[in-house]
Amino acid sequence: MFFSYTMSVILLSLAMYGIWYFIRDLWKWWLAPRFVSVPSCSFLVVVKDLDYRVEGLLRYLAHEIERAEVDCDIVVVDVSLDDLTSVILERLAEELPDLSIMSFPTGIRPVGEAIALCRGAVVHVMDLANRMSTEDFMVAVCGLLRQDYQEVMVKRVAR
């Protein structure tokens, strides 16, 4: 014999252990979820009297979208016509290609009108006019885009 009895038993045990791990990994691979791409998204941002912060917020949003490498567009609705927000937004629209702007008077509900401009399959509505603070906006954007740019796992359907 080439190996002693003890060595043959050890080698056979290791071979069976390796085969068991290989079959287990193959089975997990066969039943494992498959990666799919996330749907495109749109950010609908409603602003009011934010001429002092709107440029920084939108540049932050554009930077996070670029960093996440997700197909997103930004639609900004200005519901105040009294300050410099509209002038700043028009200047930003020339610089940022995925930025669309709409202006409405204060009394109209802008989300229903502006949602037609959103190209994404998922629309994230950020209401900075009534509901959110600018700090909440930054945290929400970071959380949504971190969630969006990660690969999504979907269970395979039995054939």
Side-chain angles (χ1 to χ4, degrees):
M1 262 187 143
F2 190 69
F3 292 116
S4 67
Y5 177 75
T6 308
M7 187 59 117
S8 298
V9 168
I10 291 173
L11 288 176
L12 183 63
S13 299
L14 288 174
M16 289 174 47
Y17 185 69
I19 290 172
W20 178 76
Y21 259 100
F22 176 74
I23 291 172
R24 188 188 75 160
D25 288 344
L26 190 65
W27 185 256
K28 281 184 180 180
W29 173 79
W30 179 255
L31 295 178
R34 298 292 178 234
F35 291 111
V36 296
S37 63
V38 294
S40 62
C41 67
S42 295
F43 283 91
L44 178 58
V45 183
V46 181
V47 297
K48 178 180 181 180
D49 297 330
L50 283 178
D51 53 353
Y52 61 96
R53 292 287 308 247
V54 72
E55 182 173 3
L57 291 174
L58 292 179
R59 287 191 186 277
Y60 173 75
L61 177 59
H63 172 72
E64 289 294 320
I65 288 172
E66 181 180 329
R67 193 177 71 142
E69 298 175 354
V70 179
D71 182 25
C72 287
D73 65 321
I74 306 167
V75 177
V76 179
V77 179
D78 183 19
V79 292
S80 65
L81 303 174
D82 300 337
D83 60 349
L84 295 174
T85 305
S86 59
V87 175
I88 295 170
L89 290 175
E90 288 174 11
R91 185 175 49 83
L92 280 174
E94 294 172 0
E95 294 179 26
L96 302 173
D98 291 331
L99 181 67
S100 303
I101 298 171
M102 292 185 77
S103 295
F104 288 108
T106 307
I108 296 178
R109 299 267 181 191
V111 175
E113 296 290 328
I115 206 157
L117 289 177
C118 298
R119 295 185 321 233
V122 177
V123 178
H124 303 293
V125 179
M126 308 284 189
D127 188 1
L128 292 171
N130 300 316
R131 307 241 181 229
M132 296 179 82
S133 67
T134 55
E135 291 81 16
D136 293 340
F137 173 80
M138 295 174 93
V139 170
V141 165
C142 186
L144 287 170
L145 287 174
R146 186 178 320 119
Q147 179 183 7
D148 282 348
Y149 77 79
Q150 293 174 348
E151 300 267 9
V152 176
M153 304 283 279
V154 177
K155 272 290 198 193
R156 264 179 64 129
V157 181
R159 295 180 191 180

